[in-house]
Amino acid sequence: MQRTLVKDALNSTGPIDTILLQGWVRTRRDAKAFSFIELNDGSCLKGMQVIVDATLPDYAAVNRANTGASVSVRGKLVESKGGGQKWEVIAETFAVLGEADTDYPLQKKGHTMEFLREIAHLRPRSNLFGAVFRVRSRLAYAVHQFFQERNFHYVHTPIVTASDAEGAGDMFRVTTLDLANPPKTENGEIDNAEDFFGKKTFLTVSGQLEAEIFACALSNVYTFGPTFRAENSHTSRHASEFWMIEPEVAFCDLQGDMDLAEDFVKYLIRDIREQCAGDLEFFSKFVDKDLLTRLDFVLEKPFVRCSYTEAVEILEQSGKTWEHPVAWGDNLQSEHERYLTEEHFKCPVTVYNYPRAIKAFYMRQTDGCAPGRETVAAMDLLVPGIGEIIGGSQREERLDKLKAGMALHHLDEKNYWWYLDLRRYGSVPHAGFGLGFERMLMFVTGVANIRDVIPFARTPGTAEF
Ligand code: 4AD
Ligand code: MG
């Protein structure tokens, strides 16, 4: 007999004569004449109430159906007489597939998030993490849907790479050299030509440079894959391995880029609001009381746009004392970003035109800047509660200006010969951005720590599972 998911059984429009449910016991309550079992199979937040009558031949098995055990139940789906649920299942056969030892760690509610991280192999069976990972799955689907509906092509950019796209120097090295005894060149340095790929290679920090190649051929493309950063940041918003979505659009400028970013974020929120209503309700009850109001508010209003120079003025006039002082030319720190979006504008803000010196080499120089006030066509989308969720820019499409940018950042043109070629053969204005998938997931769920929206988080010092 075909198994029915609890989700479909709960949505049934009428009683069903025989139904087969399989899942894990959440709770069991024994009365004199029967036992109540709440069975959850992860298909949705709610479980199905199963009633096993004491006169049933299989009733002896109920004793072994502890919290955490896996069970298989065949029976009738009937309207529930008790409150709290529309349907329940009256068991006809009942079997325990796998008992759970009595030290099963998810017995009671109220475990701390820290403890649950230590049992990352069991936490998906809790209400909270079941909901987080169902939303994660749906969010990934919505990402593809958004771009596919708009004629964007999905490009798989490489994970092992020789080029540092962000120039931030926080890459993980990939090597098969014997670290205890590496091959040396004549002058005693490690001979990278002997390494697996014949050169120094790393895990990618971004698929952007390769995505640009494809945008200059297929016009509209996006990547969606894992990226790796070896920065030693211990914050609730940084992971060493995270997923990024990077659209790249030919014949597009910074305005078009900001419009696309705003449409994208709103589309994702709307989709999750509709498709994951039950899970979001749970988050708004137990994780973040303001979640639904905030998401609806974000959907209704256009995002504010504010130049970096204006942002610095706002911060200087805020009357706040900052841990990191504000000065034109410095990067905005998290405290500044949070102030802009949470206190000053009280809505998502796109900050654009940042100082050239603090941004990546590939960003397009703004024409006609005053000396000492050179900017590039960069943009960051900041949202309340998190800060930056998107970073993007219009790219420098002019060969001479791009070379100047590389010189400014001390990059060797030789390593970027193919990137420079794009500016030699049919160069076009183009722009793109990167959305941190986990940061977006934090935003739609209200979950405050990035470690709790990743199945098995990689952060400095942690790679257990
Ligand atoms: O601002 P970033 O570094 O931009 C880029 O990598 C560009 N190449 C994107 C592009 O234009 N195609 O990163 C983009 C986004 C950030 O806004 C943030 O949401 C996320 O990626 N991000 C991280 N998420 C989790 N942990 C980290 N360590 C992250 N670093 C960046
Ligand atoms: Mg950034």
Side-chain angles (χ1 to χ4, degrees):
M1 184 182 186
Q2 184 98 31
R3 171 187 177 213
T4 301
L5 291 176
V6 167
K7 175 185 170 207
D8 295 331
L10 288 172
N11 285 331
S12 180
T13 48
I16 300 174
D17 259 355
T18 8
I19 191 170
L20 174 68
L21 299 182
Q22 295 178 314
W24 293 267
V25 175
R26 276 296 174 79
T27 55
R28 191 184 92 214
R29 205 152 45 79
D30 299 322
K32 241 197 210 125
F34 45 80
S35 291
F36 287 113
I37 284 172
E38 193 202 338
L39 181 151
N40 186 290
D41 66 3
S43 59
C44 63
L45 187 69
K46 287 208 171 79
M48 176 66 80
Q49 171 159 285
V50 176
I51 297 174
V52 193
D53 199 284
T55 59
L56 215 65
D58 287 345
Y59 189 71
V62 166
N63 226 354
R64 297 188 294 123
N66 289 336
T67 298
S70 52
V71 296
S72 185
V73 183
R74 197 171 51 75
K76 281 189 188 333
L77 184 80
V78 300
E79 249 174 89
S80 175
K81 291 186 205 89
Q85 64 274 321
K86 178 147 190 260
W87 300 108
E88 65 192 16
V89 167
I90 309 289
E92 284 164 356
T93 65
F94 181 87
V96 173
L97 303 180
E99 290 180 37
D101 288 356
T102 47
D103 59 358
Y104 181 63
L106 290 175
Q107 298 285 355
K108 48 186 190 308
K109 291 181 190 152
H111 291 306
T112 65
M113 297 296 257
E114 288 76 12
F115 171 73
L116 290 167
R117 271 174 223 147
E118 287 169 17
I119 52 162
H121 59 308
L122 296 172
R123 70 176 184 170
R125 297 194 204 173
S126 67
N127 277 336
L128 175 66
F129 287 97
V132 165
F133 294 118
R134 276 188 298 274
V135 173
R136 186 175 170 117
S137 167
R138 177 70 207 189
L139 191 65
Y141 182 77
V143 164
H144 287 294
Q145 200 165 261
F146 175 85
F147 288 116
Q148 298 287 336
E149 281 172 359
R150 284 162 184 73
N151 287 306
F152 280 65
H153 303 285
Y154 180 28
V155 184
H156 295 107
T157 51
I159 289 170
V160 176
T161 178
S163 55
D164 182 353
E166 291 306 298
D170 45 12
M171 303 180 87
F172 287 101
R173 182 77 194 273
V174 174
T175 180
T176 54
L177 292 181
D178 178 0
L179 295 182
N181 186 22
K184 299 272 174 71
T185 59
E186 275 167 17
N187 41 19
E189 285 165 358
I190 293 178
D191 187 2
N192 294 309
E194 293 282 308
D195 205 344
F196 192 88
F197 296 105
K199 50 161 62 176
K200 243 182 159 172
T201 50
F202 308 89
L203 294 178
T204 184
V205 295
S206 158
Q208 178 197 321
L209 304 191
E210 290 89 353
E212 283 185 55
I213 295 177
F214 274 78
C216 292
L218 307 185
S219 288
N220 303 325
V221 300
Y222 68 106
T223 71
F224 182 9
T227 46
F228 306 85
R229 298 202 181 175
E231 13 169 24
N232 202 6
S233 319
H234 297 260
T235 80
S236 56
R237 291 163 296 110
H238 287 88
S240 315
E241 175 179 321
F242 62 98
W243 283 59
M244 197 174 6
I245 298 115
E246 295 183 277
E248 194 66 36
V249 188
F251 312 101
C252 179
D253 62 9
L254 187 66
Q255 289 301 321
D257 201 31
M258 295 194 282
D259 291 344
L260 182 68
E262 182 167 341
D263 283 352
F264 183 37
V265 166
K266 287 185 168 167
Y267 180 96
L268 295 180
I269 295 174
R270 202 170 294 121
D271 184 87
I272 295 300
R273 271 302 259 132
E274 283 164 13
Q275 301 297 325
C276 302
D279 290 327
L280 284 205
E281 232 168 80
F282 176 84
F283 296 129
S284 73
K285 245 194 219 146
F286 296 105
V287 176
D288 178 354
K289 299 240 170 335
D290 302 323
L291 179 70
L292 298 181
T293 341
R294 188 168 62 245
L295 293 180
D296 290 339
F297 172 82
V298 166
L299 285 181
E300 278 161 24
K301 287 237 182 114
F303 297 175
V304 173
R305 293 190 187 168
C306 161
S307 73
Y308 167 88
T309 302
E310 288 163 341
V312 167
E313 280 163 15
I314 290 168
L315 295 168
E316 280 171 346
Q317 286 159 18
S318 67
K320 292 238 163 194
T321 34
W322 303 108
E323 201 185 318
H324 307 269
V326 182
W328 199 99
D330 291 347
N331 235 329
L332 298 182
Q333 301 295 323
S334 171
E335 57 172 335
H336 309 137
E337 296 179 340
R338 301 276 298 258
Y339 173 80
L340 290 170
T341 174
E342 286 164 19
E343 293 182 53
H344 186 80
F345 291 114
K346 297 191 168 65
C347 80
V349 191
T350 312
V351 181
Y352 61 92
N353 283 0
Y354 282 76
R356 183 177 174 219
I358 56 168
K359 286 292 185 181
F361 73 95
Y362 52 71
M363 295 185 179
R364 191 179 197 278
Q365 290 177 47
T366 320
D367 295 321
C369 293
R373 290 268 165 149
E374 288 86 5
T375 60
V376 285
M379 62 103 169
D380 277 1
L381 174 59
L382 317 175
V383 297
I386 294 174
E388 177 190 337
I389 58 168
I390 281 181
S393 63
Q394 184 173 342
R395 321 306 188 189
E396 185 55 81
E397 84 282 13
R398 300 160 296 188
L399 183 62
D400 54 331
K401 295 241 158 63
L402 179 60
K403 285 182 168 181
M406 296 178 90
L408 181 74
H409 289 89
H410 310 290
L411 296 175
D412 189 349
E413 285 181 20
K414 274 206 308 289
N415 297 335
Y416 296 86
W417 64 272
W418 47 269
Y419 191 68
L420 292 163
D421 263 5
L422 296 181
R423 278 71 183 168
R424 287 196 187 96
Y425 308 126
S427 190
V428 291
H430 61 289
F433 62 79
L435 169 72
F437 184 62
E438 284 79 11
R439 296 213 183 150
M440 187 65 206
L441 198 52
M442 291 167 72
F443 190 63
V444 295
T445 58
V447 169
N449 196 309
I450 199 165
R451 292 166 180 79
D452 300 322
V453 296
I454 302 181
F456 306 103
R458 267 69 183 120
T459 50
T462 330
E464 179 66 27
F465 296 89

